[in-house]
Amino acid sequence: MSGLSIGQVAERTGLSTHTLRFYEREGLLAQPVRRGSAGHRVYSEDDVDWLGVCIRLRASGMPLTDIRRYTELVRAGQGNEAERLEVLRRHRERVLARMHELDECLTLITHKVGVYESRLGLRDDVVECVQ
C-alpha cells in the first residue's frame, strides 16, 4: 500500500506525530486514515492537503470544536454547503475582529517605539506622551 508514514506527514506539515494521532482521535481528518498491512497509519496526499486546511484554521484561532464540526460537514458530502459557509463566516468575523484589535495594538506599540527612539536621540519627529 503506497502512501506516507506518520513521520513523513509530520515532517511535511510541521505537526508532531502526537498531534497527528490526536487529530485523528478527535475526528479532524476528512477521511479515516488507512492502515498498512502491519497496522501502521498510511496517509494520502489528500490527507496532507486536509491537514493543511486544519493547520490554517487552527492558526487563525478556530476552536477545535468548530474544526471538528466543519470536518463532519465536509465528510457528510454535498448538501450542507450553507452550514459549512456559516461555520466559516462566523470564524472569519472572529479573525477580522482580532486583526482589528491587533492593528490597534500595533499602532500603540509603534508610537511607543517612536517615543523611546526619540528619547534616545535615534529620531526627532515624535511627539512624546508620558507612560
Side-chain angles (χ1 to χ4, degrees):
M1 177 181 289
S2 67
L4 301 164
S5 70
I6 194 168
Q8 291 170 314
V9 173
E11 187 174 311
R12 286 188 47 188
T13 63
L15 297 172
S16 68
T17 57
H18 174 76
T19 300
L20 289 168
R21 289 185 194 100
F22 173 77
Y23 275 23
E24 182 181 357
R25 277 193 315 273
E26 290 297 309
L28 302 181
L29 295 169
Q31 302 297 321
V33 177
R34 296 175 300 151
R35 299 288 179 152
S37 58
H40 297 288
R41 289 169 177 84
V42 178
Y43 293 86
S44 68
E45 288 297 329
D46 288 342
D47 294 326
V48 173
D49 291 344
W50 181 255
L51 284 164
V53 171
C54 292
I55 290 166
R56 288 288 181 212
L57 292 175
R58 192 72 184 119
S60 67
M62 183 180 272
L64 289 176
T65 54
D66 289 354
I67 297 173
R68 185 180 307 110
R69 177 66 183 143
Y70 182 68
T71 301
E72 289 167 354
L73 293 167
V74 168
R75 203 179 298 130
Q78 293 183 348
N80 60 29
E81 288 82 0
E83 292 173 81
R84 294 184 211 184
L85 177 59
E86 187 55 32
V87 169
L88 293 173
R89 278 182 172 165
R90 277 194 321 266
H91 184 60
R92 180 178 62 186
E93 289 306 312
R94 289 190 302 263
V95 170
L96 288 169
R98 182 66 178 139
M99 289 173 63
H100 177 72
E101 181 182 342
L102 287 171
D103 190 50
E104 289 178 348
C105 294
L106 182 58
T107 298
L108 171 76
I109 293 165
T110 299
H111 173 73
K112 298 305 277 181
V113 164
V115 167
Y116 291 111
E117 285 176 344
S118 178
R119 284 186 185 176
L120 295 171
L122 300 173
R123 63 189 278 190
D124 57 0
D125 62 338
V126 176
V127 177
E128 281 201 41
C129 74
V130 179
Q131 289 181 5

